[in-house]
Amino acid sequence: MDQEILSALVNSSHESILTTDYSGKVLFCNKSSENLFNSTSEKLLSQNIFDLLVNEDIKEIKRIIRLLSEDSNGGLTYLARFKKSNNDLPLKVEVKKLKVKKNKQVLFIITPHTKEEEEAHKLYKLLAENAYDINIMFEGDELIYVSPSIKDFLGYDVDEIDSIELWNGLIYEDDLKEYQTQLKKDQEDKIPFSYYTYRQRHKNGRYRWFETKIRREFRSENLVVEMATSVDITQRKKFELELEMQKEFIEQLFDTDPNLIFVRDGNGRMIYCNKAVAELVGKSRDEFLSIEKNMFPASDGQIHKYLEMEEKVINQGEEILIEEQIADKNGIVNHFQTIKKPLKTQNGDVNMLNISTNINKIKYYEKETQNVMKARNEFFSAMSHEIRTPMNAILGMSELLLRRNPRKDQSKLLKTLHFSSKNLLTLINDILDFSKIESGKTEIEEVNFNLKELIDNVMISLRPRVMDKNLRVSYTISEQVPLVINGDYIKLSQILNNLLSNAIKFTPTGTISIEVDNFKQTKSGFILIFYIKDTGIGIAQDKLKNIFDPFHQANKSTARVYGGTGLGLSIVKNLVILQKGKITVESEENVGSVFTVTLPFKNADRSLPINSLPTSQISSFNWKMKLNVLYVEDVTTNQFLIEEILGDWGITVDMASDGFEALKMIEKKEYDLILMDIQMPGIDGLETTRRIRAMEDSYFKNIPILALTASTTDSTRDEIFLCGMQDFVLKPINVDDLRAKIVEHSSVVDEFKDMKIVDAEPDKEDKNTKIIFERTDKLFLGNLVRYQEFLKMTVEEFKTNLELLNVSIYNDDLTSYRQLRHRMKSIIATFGMTELLKLLDEIKEKLNKGSLTIKEKKEYVQALEYHVQFLIDSLSNKLASLKWQ
């Protein structure tokens, strides 16, 4: 197209058109431009586009021109004001790249703007003026743009920052040199992005911290355009400084801490340690942390063990508390208690924090305490022996004399002696029990037991005292309470015995009762509540709060009138707490007291047998035991006592005064059983037993040896069984307990179980059709009270055993069935029920073969119920007949 035609077309345009070079020099303008600026083309061609713009828009247009140099930008639009324009309003300026032949130019098209464009421009200006960051642009040493936000950050107007020298002049002197050195290096290395941190002076004279990101465009070898964004990080720097100060403070604090404190990362490397760690290993902190495997001196096996443990802390989030031994730089081993716990960082990594406390002193005092406790236990053991030995003679001989029909005046004196001796023994037992609990030696056992049987036994043991005072004693067990439960029946018996003994002691007349109810169900069982009520003298309200304190009694006269140490209730409370229970008391003077005990129990474990408390039932059996017994004892009075007691039972007794004599006698004569005192001159009972067990013949290894001891400590009992003894009897000797132990561990035991010691045999024609009572009639010899108690317990036991038998059959539980069958066998034989025994044996064989069908199980259960119920009914009828005799 002809040049003149093109010029005519451009000049006829209503838009103002100009072209410039990249420095802004006007190279061409059309007629509309002349009208816009009220000037001639000659004048305009001698000017620079930046001379025509108002100052506030010059830097933005310069920025646009620089941006057009990028290939990605084809054109940009901006609303700008011109100085000599006929219109004071901003005009729309389109800035585009223009290539004329080989020359690069900038095309300006200036037109009036629309309302929408003005609104968009206002928004742009608003965003630019309120930018969160400071945006600047410079080309070489020329500053070509500063965003309005500089006012907010540094307090200067845009016009006040018009050169790079002024901008740099605001940078803190100490930071400027480092900044310019790094800037020059980054420009030389042509790094496209760089970050710098420095302080700049606010107009008010204070300095603020900025982090500046600079993006570079390398136009030519010597021309670099840099666009910078500065972010105010003053607050962050403040936090960092505070954090650094806190870190320094914490490090100083940790360095003053004598504990070993260190942090290990997930790779097993120690990344921090305090001064105590460095001193322990004899290295500086930096030197120790720089070591690849910075561990305490230890064997490879120990190091591997610790790293495994610490890996578990890091990976599984476990917290571990251990005791460990760590050697120092001199090889001295120290004891530490160490806690290892996970330590999470802000970026989500997990390290391990270790804090080790030196417990050398604790270990020393612990050892000293153990020595003191050992000495204390030895003292109590010795005291127990020294006191119980003469008490054994006093109690035993007074009881023997009472059995030999003394005169009335002698009987009164002997009873007083016997009663006082028992009181003294109770005091000794209370002190020893309290000492045992206080030393933490008491353990809780969990076994199955029959609650009703337990309370029956407690009641029976207290009956003589109840009858002496003519008191009415009763108990009730709620139907909600299971008959067989799981827990520590010995501790429960002790609790009830102590509380009932107290009630009897402080109740001159009236009633005493026990009520048992199911207080609460738990996941594994239930909580039972026991109410022990009496109509006794009661306790004053101001004394109730101290009633469970050791050595405390309601008033000074209590000990004088009623005796006792004031330890009974303290022992009860400790036993209750040991079982995670609770005890409370309500009382009113001259009205009575109610002790409330709540204790947790578990459901009966059907895989375990049902335990029974030892009773004195056997003491009613009147037969002669044809046994030869060797009694090893150095105290003459005790020899005389045992000889008298065993002589009454038909037992032949040989005496040995020490262990050496016992060893000689046992080699010359065979004995059925040996009763061995523990503490004797020469060699004691424990060593004597070891020497007997070490002899070659099987007779020496198997002969039953029972210890007679006054010591109740756990260590003594452990030694008794470890040396080879079968059992022990406590001094002062309880005659019923001694007889029961002899029966249990001698040849009499089998005869007792099968009742062969009784000569009477049932008639053959009757043994399958009725219950035979001849044997039990002979055994109890007319002691109706004891006979009634025996029948009651047997009925209750068979009711329970029948239920458990049925369960074991349906569950194919051969182990439980065998235990129940063994438990019932001797008593069934006593009553001559051979058919029931045959049925039990038949079921056992079937269960053993595992061949019972569902139908057979039902049939066997029905047959058992028939036979057992027949036995229960017969015993109940016998019991009813005894009440009328």
Side-chain angles (χ1 to χ4, degrees), residues 334-565:
N334 294 272
H335 295 270
F336 289 88
Q337 185 179 70
T338 297
I339 183 169
K340 298 177 184 287
K341 58 193 305 181
L343 184 68
K344 291 186 179 179
T345 62
Q346 288 184 342
N347 61 7
D349 293 337
V350 181
N351 297 323
M352 186 216 66
L353 172 65
N354 182 103
I355 303 174
S356 298
T357 304
N358 190 303
I359 56 172
N360 283 343
K361 286 187 178 180
I362 294 175
K363 282 293 180 182
Y364 170 78
Y365 287 121
E366 186 179 278
K367 187 176 181 180
E368 287 297 303
T369 302
Q370 287 174 351
N371 291 336
V372 171
M373 291 303 296
K374 183 180 179 183
R376 170 181 164 170
N377 289 339
E378 288 174 355
F379 167 75
F380 274 113
S381 179
M383 184 186 78
S384 173
H385 180 269
E386 295 303 322
I387 296 176
R388 286 172 182 263
T389 297
M391 285 299 302
N392 180 49
I394 295 169
L395 275 172
M397 290 184 181
S398 60
E399 188 171 339
L400 282 174
L401 290 171
L402 283 168
R403 290 183 179 185
R404 294 185 177 182
N405 300 317
R407 298 194 312 270
K408 189 174 181 181
D409 58 330
Q410 292 173 334
S411 176
K412 186 175 180 180
L413 293 172
L414 288 171
K415 284 180 179 179
T416 303
L417 174 64
H418 195 262
F419 176 77
S420 299
S421 302
K422 279 195 169 181
N423 276 351
L424 180 56
L425 183 60
T426 301
L427 298 182
I428 296 167
N429 288 337
D430 278 352
I431 293 170
L432 294 176
D433 282 346
F434 180 75
S435 172
K436 186 177 180 182
I437 292 170
E438 194 182 42
S439 63
K441 297 292 185 181
T442 305
E443 295 180 356
I444 300 302
E445 298 180 353
E446 292 181 350
V447 296
N448 293 342
F449 67 94
N450 185 308
L451 180 61
K452 183 178 182 301
E453 179 184 291
L454 182 146
I455 296 176
D456 275 334
N457 284 329
V458 173
M459 291 290 199
I460 290 168
S461 67
L462 296 172
R463 182 165 294 170
R465 293 172 59 190
V466 171
M467 295 176 67
D468 284 346
K469 300 182 77 170
N470 199 24
L471 300 174
R472 295 187 301 279
V473 180
S474 63
Y475 72 88
T476 57
I477 301 176
S478 168
E479 294 180 358
Q480 305 301 318
V481 177
L483 187 61
V484 179
I485 60 178
N486 183 280
D488 194 324
Y489 72 109
I490 297 292
K491 302 294 185 302
L492 176 58
S493 175
Q494 193 173 355
I495 289 167
L496 296 179
N497 190 73
N498 275 3
L499 292 175
L500 283 171
S501 293
N502 254 23
I504 295 168
K505 182 191 293 186
F506 297 111
T507 305
T509 59
T511 61
I512 297 170
S513 66
I514 301 178
E515 297 174 14
V516 188
D517 204 350
N518 195 337
F519 179 67
K520 183 181 178 182
Q521 292 294 129
T522 64
K523 289 182 180 179
S524 59
F526 39 84
I527 297 175
L528 295 186
I529 185 165
F530 299 81
Y531 300 100
I532 294 85
K533 302 179 180 180
D534 66 62
T535 58
I537 62 174
I539 308 164
Q541 293 301 308
D542 60 335
K543 304 294 183 182
L544 283 176
K545 62 180 180 180
N546 300 319
I547 199 68
F548 295 107
D549 293 346
F551 305 106
H552 179 86
Q553 294 185 328
N555 54 62
K556 294 179 181 179
S557 64
T558 301
R560 292 196 302 270
V561 178
Y562 298 100
T565 59

Side-chain angles (χ1 to χ4, degrees), residues 439-700:
S439 63
K441 297 292 185 181
T442 305
E443 295 180 356
I444 300 302
E445 298 180 353
E446 292 181 350
V447 296
N448 293 342
F449 67 94
N450 185 308
L451 180 61
K452 183 178 182 301
E453 179 184 291
L454 182 146
I455 296 176
D456 275 334
N457 284 329
V458 173
M459 291 290 199
I460 290 168
S461 67
L462 296 172
R463 182 165 294 170
R465 293 172 59 190
V466 171
M467 295 176 67
D468 284 346
K469 300 182 77 170
N470 199 24
L471 300 174
R472 295 187 301 279
V473 180
S474 63
Y475 72 88
T476 57
I477 301 176
S478 168
E479 294 180 358
Q480 305 301 318
V481 177
L483 187 61
V484 179
I485 60 178
N486 183 280
D488 194 324
Y489 72 109
I490 297 292
K491 302 294 185 302
L492 176 58
S493 175
Q494 193 173 355
I495 289 167
L496 296 179
N497 190 73
N498 275 3
L499 292 175
L500 283 171
S501 293
N502 254 23
I504 295 168
K505 182 191 293 186
F506 297 111
T507 305
T509 59
T511 61
I512 297 170
S513 66
I514 301 178
E515 297 174 14
V516 188
D517 204 350
N518 195 337
F519 179 67
K520 183 181 178 182
Q521 292 294 129
T522 64
K523 289 182 180 179
S524 59
F526 39 84
I527 297 175
L528 295 186
I529 185 165
F530 299 81
Y531 300 100
I532 294 85
K533 302 179 180 180
D534 66 62
T535 58
I537 62 174
I539 308 164
Q541 293 301 308
D542 60 335
K543 304 294 183 182
L544 283 176
K545 62 180 180 180
N546 300 319
I547 199 68
F548 295 107
D549 293 346
F551 305 106
H552 179 86
Q553 294 185 328
N555 54 62
K556 294 179 181 179
S557 64
T558 301
R560 292 196 302 270
V561 178
Y562 298 100
T565 59
L567 288 174
L569 289 179
S570 177
I571 292 170
V572 167
K573 183 176 181 180
N574 279 289
L575 291 176
V576 170
I577 292 172
L578 275 172
Q579 297 175 82
K580 297 183 172 62
K582 183 180 178 182
I583 182 169
T584 59
V585 60
E586 295 178 5
S587 187
E588 185 178 345
E589 284 190 283
N590 301 318
V591 175
S593 304
V594 179
F595 285 83
T596 304
V597 178
T598 53
L599 287 172
F601 294 93
K602 293 183 179 179
N603 294 316
D605 186 345
R606 292 180 178 175
S607 65
L608 298 174
I610 300 172
N611 289 266
S612 296
L613 280 170
T615 71
S616 58
Q617 176 181 318
I618 193 171
S619 65
S620 293
F621 298 157
N622 190 12
W623 78 93
K624 301 295 182 181
M625 292 182 277
K626 296 180 180 179
L627 297 175
N628 287 316
V629 172
L630 174 62
Y631 181 37
V632 188
E633 168 69 73
D634 62 310
V635 180
T636 308
T637 52
N638 285 343
Q639 290 180 352
F640 174 76
L641 177 64
I642 292 297
E643 189 174 25
E644 286 292 314
I645 293 172
L646 300 188
D648 282 349
W649 300 339
I651 297 175
T652 303
V653 186
D654 288 343
M655 298 291 178
S657 297
D658 56 38
F660 293 112
E661 188 177 351
L663 291 172
K664 292 178 183 177
M665 293 176 70
I666 197 173
E667 287 181 335
K668 295 178 181 178
K669 180 179 177 180
E670 287 194 3
Y671 294 97
D672 297 298
L673 182 137
I674 300 175
L675 296 175
M676 181 80 68
D677 187 42
I678 296 297
Q679 297 188 13
M680 294 183 295
I683 55 172
D684 62 20
L686 301 174
E687 178 59 27
T688 304
T689 302
R690 292 189 193 99
R691 295 190 184 187
I692 292 172
R693 296 304 186 208
M695 295 179 181
E696 292 184 3
D697 195 278
S698 60
Y699 158 70
F700 300 110

Side-chain angles (χ1 to χ4, degrees), residues 204-216:
N204 61 15
R206 296 179 180 177
Y207 283 90
R208 301 183 69 83
W209 279 95
F210 288 90
E211 184 179 70
T212 299
K213 174 188 175 184
I214 295 181
R215 183 167 63 88
R216 298 182 180 86

Side-chain angles (χ1 to χ4, degrees), residues 796-821:
E796 293 300 327
E797 185 174 347
F798 268 80
K799 286 180 180 178
T800 302
N801 289 345
L802 178 59
E803 293 178 11
L804 295 175
L805 278 172
N806 293 345
V807 172
S808 64
I809 291 170
Y810 278 119
N811 292 339
D812 296 314
D813 189 348
L814 180 60
T815 302
S816 296
Y817 182 86
R818 278 177 171 169
Q819 291 172 345
L820 290 164
R821 173 187 163 278

